[in-house]
């Protein structure tokens, strides 16, 4: 029996490794954004007074608790090389996962002081409440004039207030918080992947082989697992561990105190930009 | 109990299970491509829907360059003539290329119109025109985003049908590679701007 199983596992193992390797290779690389901020308002250019930032943070935190909408503002002095304002806003929005997974009810305000440019980027779920024209008007009428005079704190506060005003009635906040991870679990995904099914059949086969032998000559004194099934069990456990590590739902999302934490939302490129 | 038979049966079972599960994976991957395609159609349609309003607005401006408007209207009409399935991603590269070419023409006609509009300060100052401009810019941006998502969904699918174990079954089950959007041929050449110093409307560069 064992001599019959050994060539089999020696043959299967390379195939399994190839399958694992190939499925790993399909993960695609993306242009990276800076890590998601812990606060709603981040000023990397150092143009907004700290008390204003603190006030905006608590306002936006309260706003998220009331409406579920996440409004995030980022002030930088320049864009990374090779990106445009719209591209960078899209990358930040996508990577920071602003708004809930279900509704994508988020807004990103990106101010680039060096280029004198500003963009309001809407998530999919707020394109109705905040159409491109509304974003453009908010920029033109409330932000640009104050930015022009150098008063970034006031301009940003006014812009955020206008965005809050436009989006406040759009969603009811559900009690579960903004994080909505769906029902797919890494374990379930793994079980129904080719590799998972493969391993299940492999283990069943091994057990069937042992039972077949047991009927003929009685239980041997070994009692423990044969090398083949031990290897299979090891692979299953290792595989599950890897799947769990790859799952991204482990982060605490939604109800995490007063700071910002992305809920899984995405943007389709809506919004408007302007300059002063 | 015949062990060899048992092993052969089990291997056969593994092959069938792998085929079934990779079929399911391919179906869902193919459906993601179709979903991304539907989004692409949405945003292109959104742009096409803006055209009548835009044309009307610029026509209101005193002696706005006629040829530019005609080009936009014609490009809009030819976009409407391209027959393409709205809900299923094109299977043929030629089909996608034809669609992309028609849309590309509309895109460059529209950007030329915006460039020409720079010469009409009265028009540019109207809030109606500025709103349309914001909508048009937002739509172009959405097109870029959704096209990128479509391409990565196609890439995901194409890699998948060529990966183990699907590569053994994909062809048999009728999963063929799907075409991508190519970088726009017009995208790298900015529309030419002609300054008319003589006071007569500039003729468009064909």
């Amino acid at each position: 029996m064992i001599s019959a199983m050994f060539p089999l596992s020696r043959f299967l193992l390379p195939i399994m490794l190839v399958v694992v390797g190939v499925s790993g290779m399909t993960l695609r690389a993306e242009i990276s954004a800076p890590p998601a901020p812990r606060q709603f308002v981040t000023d990397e250019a150092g143009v907004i007074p700290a008390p204003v930032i603190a006030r905006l943070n608590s306002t936006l935190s309260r706003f998220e608790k009331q409406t579920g909408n996440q409004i995030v503002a980022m002030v930088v002095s320049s864009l990374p090389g090779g990106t445009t304002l719209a591209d960078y806003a899209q990358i930040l929005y996508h990577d920071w996962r602003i708004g809930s997974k279900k509704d994508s009810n988020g807004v990103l305000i990106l101010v680039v002081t060096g280029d004198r440019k500003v963009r309001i980027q809407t998530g999919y779920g707020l394109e109705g409440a905040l159409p491109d024209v509304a974003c453009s008007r908010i920029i033109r009428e409330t932000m640009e004039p104050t930015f022009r005079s150098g008063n970034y704190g006031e301009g940003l506060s006014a812009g955020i207030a206008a965005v809050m005003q436009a989006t406040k009635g759009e969603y009811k906040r559900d009690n579960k918080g903004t994080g909505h991870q769906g029902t797919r679990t890494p374990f379930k995904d793994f079980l129904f992947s080719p590799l998972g099914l493969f391993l299940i059949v492999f283990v069943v086969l091994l057990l069937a082989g042992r039972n077949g032998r047991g009927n003929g000559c009685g239980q041997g004194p070994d009692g423990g697992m044969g090398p083949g099934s031990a290897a299979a069990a090891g692979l299953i456990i290792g595989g599950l561990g890897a799947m769990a590590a790859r799952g991204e739902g482990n982060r605490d999302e939604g109800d995490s105190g007063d700071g910002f934490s992305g809920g899984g939302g995405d943007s389709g490129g809506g919004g408007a930009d302007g300059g002063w | 109990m015949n062990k060899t038979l048992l092993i052969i049966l089990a291997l056969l079972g593994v092959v069938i299970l792998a085929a079934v599960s990779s079929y399911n994976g391919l179906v869902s991957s193919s459906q993601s491509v179709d979903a991304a395609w539907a989004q692409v159609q949405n945003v292109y349609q959104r742009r096409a829907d803006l055209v009548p309003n835009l044309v009307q607005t610029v026509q209101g401006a005193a002696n706005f360059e006629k040829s530019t408007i005609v080009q936009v209207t014609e490009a809009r009409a030819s976009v409407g003539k391209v027959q393409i399935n709205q809900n299923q991603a094109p299977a043929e590269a030629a089909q996608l290329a034809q669609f992309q070419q028609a849309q590309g023409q509309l895109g460059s006609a529209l950007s030329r119109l915006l460039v020409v509009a720079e010469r009409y300060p009265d028009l540019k100052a109207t809030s109606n025109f500025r709103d349309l401009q914001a909508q048009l810019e937002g739509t172009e941006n959405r097109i870029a985003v959704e096209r990128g998502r479509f391409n990565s969904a196609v890439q995901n699918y194409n890699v998948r049908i060529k990966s183990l174990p699907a590569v053994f079954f994909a062809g048999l089950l009728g999963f063929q590679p799907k075409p991508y959007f190519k970088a726009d041929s017009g995208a790298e050449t900015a529309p030419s701007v002609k300054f008319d110093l003589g006071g007569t409307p500039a003729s468009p560069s064909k």
Side-chain angles (χ1 to χ4, degrees), chain A residues 18 119 124 132 137 267 269, chain B residues 14 131 141-142 146 149 164:
Chain A
V18 169
R119 176 166 179 84
Y124 278 116
D132 299 352
R137 286 203 174 142
S267 164
Chain B
V14 166
D131 287 351
N141 200 33
R142 284 185 177 87
E146 299 300 349
R149 291 204 175 138
L164 284 170

Side-chain angles (χ1 to χ4, degrees), chain B residues 84-96:
Chain B
I84 201 149
N85 192 331
Q86 306 276 326
N87 300 314
Q88 203 180 359
E92 302 291 327
Q95 219 181 345
L96 182 57

Side-chain angles (χ1 to χ4, degrees), chain A residues 164-206:
Chain A
M164 282 166 51
Q165 180 65 31
T167 58
K168 67 181 177 189
E170 195 68 5
Y171 291 99
K172 290 263 187 293
R173 179 176 164 90
D174 53 4
N175 297 328
K176 275 294 288 167
T178 50
H180 229 277
Q181 284 300 321
T183 53
R184 284 165 70 92
T185 62
F187 180 69
K188 214 167 138 193
D189 279 355
F190 174 74
L191 272 189
F192 290 99
S193 72
L195 182 61
L197 291 170
F198 205 84
L199 287 176
I200 292 167
V201 173
F202 188 62
V203 170
V204 167
L205 168 73
L206 277 171

Side-chain angles (χ1 to χ4, degrees), chain A residues 67-153:
Chain A
T67 65
N69 300 339
Q70 292 188 322
I71 300 171
V72 176
M74 179 76 175
V75 184
V76 294
S77 53
S78 65
L79 290 167
T83 57
T84 64
L85 180 67
D87 286 344
Y88 194 56
Q90 176 69 31
I91 292 169
L92 291 186
Y93 195 107
H94 177 82
D95 281 23
W96 293 353
R97 298 145 42 90
I98 303 168
S100 74
K101 190 178 176 67
K102 184 161 91 14
D103 294 325
S104 283
N105 50 343
V107 176
L108 171 70
I109 301 175
L110 177 63
V111 183
V112 187
T113 55
D115 297 345
R116 306 174 81 81
K117 278 183 182 163
V118 55
R119 176 166 179 84
I120 298 180
Q121 176 102 8
T122 50
Y124 278 116
L126 288 179
E127 287 183 0
L130 203 60
D132 299 352
V133 169
C135 295
S136 175
R137 286 203 174 142
I138 290 172
I139 289 173
R140 290 200 311 254
E141 287 161 18
T142 68
M143 299 177 88
E144 282 177 10
T146 33
F147 281 176
R148 206 171 287 133
S149 64
N151 198 339
Y152 291 100

Side-chain angles (χ1 to χ4, degrees), chain B residues 37 82 84 90-105 179-182 184-185:
Chain B
W37 176 250
V82 176
I84 201 149
E92 302 291 327
Q95 219 181 345
L96 182 57
Q98 193 200 3
F99 172 79
Q100 191 181 347
Q101 203 237 343
Q103 294 290 356
Q105 256 166 20
Y180 300 90
F181 275 109
K182 304 205 164 43
D184 261 325
S185 51

